[in-house]
Amino acid sequence: LTRRGRQPGGKESAPGPGRGGGLKALPRAPWYPSGAMKLKLPQDKRANIESIEASVVDSPSTYAISRRRSGANEVEEALLDTMSESASLLPRPALDTPGRPRSRSRTPYDDSPTPPITYEAFKAMIGASANLMATSMGTGMLALPIAVYYSGAVTGTVLIIAMAILSDISLVFLVKAAKQSNTTNLQELGRYYYGHQGELIVNVSLVALLLCASLSVLIAIADLLTPIWQHALKTENYDHWYCQYWFVMLLCVAIIYPISIPNNLSPLKWSSSGAVLSIFLVFIFMGIRFCQHGVAKDSKIDLFVDSPIATLALPIQGLAYASQFNVVGLYTELGEHKRHINTVIHCSMAFTCFVYACFGLLGYLYFGQATGKYSMILDGFHNDKLMLVAGAMISLTNILKMPLIILPFRHTVNLILTGKEEFGLAISSLETIILLAVIYVLARLVGDLALGLELSGPTVGVFVCFILPAMLCYKADKEKWRNRGLSTYLGEEHFSRTQITALVVGLLGVLMGMASVVGLVFQQTE
């Protein structure tokens, strides 16, 4: 039997066989669409797989079910969109029904991929890296051989690498805190996370650190340039006023003054590149002399030192990487290329670590136990013209480095006295004169590079370089989790990996400061 119906061509199907000529055509059901599927008899044309699939898709039951499902999905999606828009208007911590917490494997910071490095980004990264390395490299490099002497060849080299890793982490900590708080300097970071007391602690610490750093750098410049200046004058009487130590130091201050006036670090990118190049050339000169001389044969080389004196290497090696007071400013000045700041930090610290580790080890192997006599290793090369050139290049590096110290020094003093960081060119010029005059007088009174390093190393140096970045990053990470509402779900006692790392770095900073003080006391009583 077949059901009579209309075919796509409009013709009626023939009645099937049966008594009385067959059955009449049955009325078409109201839901049965025109041109729909027909059920054919087996003796008709055999149906294949394609016709069966087409029939199922076009069948009225399938059509109705699909329409009902699509309508339900549209209603569900619209309802979910409305609920999400309403929920976004409410403060997350106030939600009464906690949802599913986000996966803990994801960091609470921005995880979007770093954009590709374009030519403009590459130029900005080179300038920022040069400024960061020029801030780190300088006088501290000359004291690394004696740091290796204190701790031993193997232990000292390992500590130089470890300090590079800790310094890299602390710089990243400061960048994360600045990114979270949208601040532009350490003072704003301290005020944002710890209030006015935090700002005061940061300002006092920075003033003490930058003052000790500027004194050490100026003393080192004068010590290195005085014999070179006297040698260049070719006079037998060094009692003339223009041959004296104080005049050489004053001449250095006059050279430093004009390049320390600008209120940003961008004009210093080429001078900073020259400073890094000169440091690298000094490293090459040390390698040449070591290849000619070899390891000290009449002196003992200690691979490890088990005396408390070994802790004296910690502040020297830690301060050698000190650039934490400038990294936030460099991050801000990168502008649209800020996303590449971590690459700048990693590359700068890796290059600095390589130069430091090789220079400290080669200097100690060259002099052996005699290394302990020279707080600046270049003092051991008497009448060596190549190393005189190296001393001149180190002095040039320190002269170009001084603006990287004077600029944050001036900004910090302005914030303490007036609450404002920058002023016009005329006021900046006057402030720079006053600061350099104070630094010159104090440097003449102190007159000893080792004293400046010993005062700043285990105290404000360790605090600014390691403890303070850990404190700021810990607070920033706590706020990041709280803003995303995850502290409501995981509890305030939850510690992320970033927070645990910050606690470890801060604890290591405290231990380094205490160990350095113990080493100084032991050295004085020995």
Side-chain angles (χ1 to χ4, degrees):
L1 297 178
T2 61
R3 185 186 298 273
R4 184 187 297 266
R6 292 188 179 274
Q7 298 178 350
K11 298 180 181 180
E12 292 185 356
S13 60
R19 187 172 52 190
L23 298 175
K24 293 183 178 181
L26 297 176
R28 187 174 61 193
W31 51 267
Y32 195 78
S34 176
M37 176 188 68
K38 281 198 311 179
L39 183 61
K40 297 183 180 180
L41 292 176
Q43 59 266 26
D44 291 341
K45 187 176 180 181
R46 197 171 183 177
N48 54 23
I49 296 177
E50 288 80 4
S51 62
I52 293 175
E53 291 177 350
S55 299
V56 171
V57 172
D58 294 336
S59 64
S61 58
T62 305
Y63 176 77
I65 292 174
S66 64
R67 289 292 298 169
R68 285 195 295 271
R69 286 181 178 177
S70 63
N73 290 338
E74 292 175 0
V75 173
E76 183 180 4
E77 291 176 359
L79 182 60
L80 289 175
D81 290 340
T82 304
M83 293 175 63
S84 63
E85 291 177 1
S86 301
S88 64
L89 300 176
L90 299 175
R92 286 200 168 193
L95 293 176
D96 297 330
T97 57
R100 184 177 64 183
R102 187 171 301 205
S103 172
R104 300 188 189 184
S105 62
R106 294 190 61 186
T107 174
Y109 294 98
D110 190 3
D111 293 335
S112 56
T114 303
I117 299 177
T118 61
Y119 177 70
E120 294 297 329
F122 180 75
K123 290 197 303 183
M125 292 169 63
I126 290 296
S129 299
N131 277 333
L132 194 60
M133 287 187 290
T135 306
S136 301
M137 295 180 172
T139 308
M141 176 176 159
L142 301 179
L144 288 177
I146 196 173
V148 177
Y149 161 78
Y150 285 144
S151 55
V154 175
T155 307
T157 305
V158 171
L159 285 177
I160 290 176
I161 299 173
M163 290 298 175
I165 296 174
L166 287 178
S167 299
D168 184 283
I169 294 173
S170 68
L171 292 174
V172 173
F173 280 173
L174 291 174
V175 170
K176 285 184 176 181
K179 185 187 302 183
Q180 169 67 20
S181 59
N182 196 24
T183 52
T184 59
N185 54 52
L186 282 179
Q187 292 85 352
E188 293 181 2
L189 281 174
R191 181 172 65 251
Y192 183 88
Y193 291 111
Y194 292 97
H196 292 289
Q197 292 181 349
E199 183 182 11
L200 179 62
I201 292 174
V202 171
N203 283 328
V204 173
S205 302
L206 282 179
V207 167
L209 176 64
L210 295 173
L211 179 60
C212 294
S214 58
L215 291 177
S216 301
V217 170
L218 186 57
I219 292 172
I221 294 173
D223 287 342
L224 292 171
L225 285 184
T226 298
I228 299 175
W229 178 259
Q230 293 174 348
H231 181 77
L233 292 177
K234 296 181 179 180
T235 179
E236 296 180 357
N237 186 8
Y238 294 141
D239 294 333
H240 296 295
W241 60 271
Y242 53 83
C243 297
Q244 297 299 312
Y245 177 82
W246 65 267
F247 178 78
V248 177
M249 183 178 290
L250 185 61
L251 187 64
C252 295
V253 170
I255 297 174
I256 293 169
Y257 170 69
I259 61 177
S260 301
I261 296 176
N263 281 319
N264 60 75
L265 302 177
S266 297
L268 302 176
K269 59 181 179 180
W270 299 117
S271 62
S272 300
S273 301
V276 174
L277 179 60
S278 64
I279 283 286
F280 187 72
L281 289 177
V282 172
F283 164 69
I284 295 297
F285 292 165
M286 174 64 77
I288 292 173
R289 284 292 180 258
F290 179 79
C291 292
Q292 294 173 348
H293 180 271
V295 180
K297 298 179 176 58
D298 56 347
S299 182
K300 179 185 176 182
I301 301 297
D302 294 325
L303 299 181
F304 305 94
V305 176
D306 56 357
S307 171
I309 296 294
T311 58
L312 293 176
L314 297 176
I316 297 175
Q317 294 167 339
L319 280 178
Y321 294 98
S323 54
Q324 283 77 3
F325 49 86
N326 269 346
V327 68
V328 178
L330 291 175
Y331 169 71
T332 303
E333 291 178 8
L334 277 176
E336 59 182 353
H337 307 299
K338 288 181 179 180
R339 297 292 302 278
H340 300 290
I341 184 62
N342 285 351
T343 303
V344 170
I345 292 174
H346 299 330
C347 293
S348 301
M349 290 297 104
F351 180 81
T352 305
C353 176
F354 172 76
V355 174
Y356 278 2
C358 294
F359 189 86
L361 182 60
L362 293 180
Y364 174 58
L365 295 178
Y366 187 95
F367 289 102
Q369 295 299 317
T371 309
K373 302 177 182 178
Y374 311 114
S375 59
M376 291 194 305
I377 197 62
L378 295 185
D379 293 339
F381 296 92
H382 303 290
N383 300 322
D384 189 324
K385 293 184 178 180
L386 182 63
M387 300 316 289
L388 283 177
V389 174
M393 299 185 72
I394 287 288
S395 301
L396 175 63
T397 298
N398 287 323
I399 289 175
L400 296 177
K401 177 182 176 179
M402 278 296 285
L404 302 177
I405 301 175
I406 296 298
L407 177 62
F409 195 2
R410 187 174 69 226
H411 288 175
T412 304
V413 173
N414 286 338
L415 286 173
I416 294 176
L417 297 179
T418 65
K420 186 177 179 181
E421 188 177 75
E422 297 180 0
F423 292 94
L425 182 62
I427 298 180
S428 297
S429 303
L430 180 61
E431 289 176 338
T432 304
I433 291 178
I434 296 174
L435 286 179
L436 288 177
V438 172
I439 293 171
Y440 175 80
V441 172
L442 293 178
R444 291 283 296 127
L445 294 176
V446 175
D448 187 5
L449 175 63
L451 180 60
L453 294 176
E454 290 174 0
L455 290 176
S456 59
T459 53
V460 292
V462 172
F463 178 77
V464 174
C465 293
F466 302 108
I467 300 175
L468 179 61
M471 294 171 57
L472 295 174
C473 183
Y474 181 85
K475 276 286 203 178
D477 194 75
K478 276 284 188 183
E479 180 178 296
K480 192 72 175 184
W481 285 88
R482 189 181 301 112
N483 289 345
R484 292 194 173 188
L486 297 181
S487 60
T488 305
Y489 311 139
L490 302 178
E492 290 293 338
E493 68 279 0
H494 169 75
F495 290 98
S496 67
R497 285 176 295 181
T498 302
Q499 295 169 22
I500 294 174
T501 306
L503 291 175
V504 171
V505 172
L507 179 61
L508 289 176
V510 173
L511 294 177
M512 281 190 291
M514 295 174 61
S516 302
V517 173
V518 171
L520 287 173
V521 173
F522 185 83
Q523 185 186 37
Q524 296 298 323
T525 57
E526 191 179 36

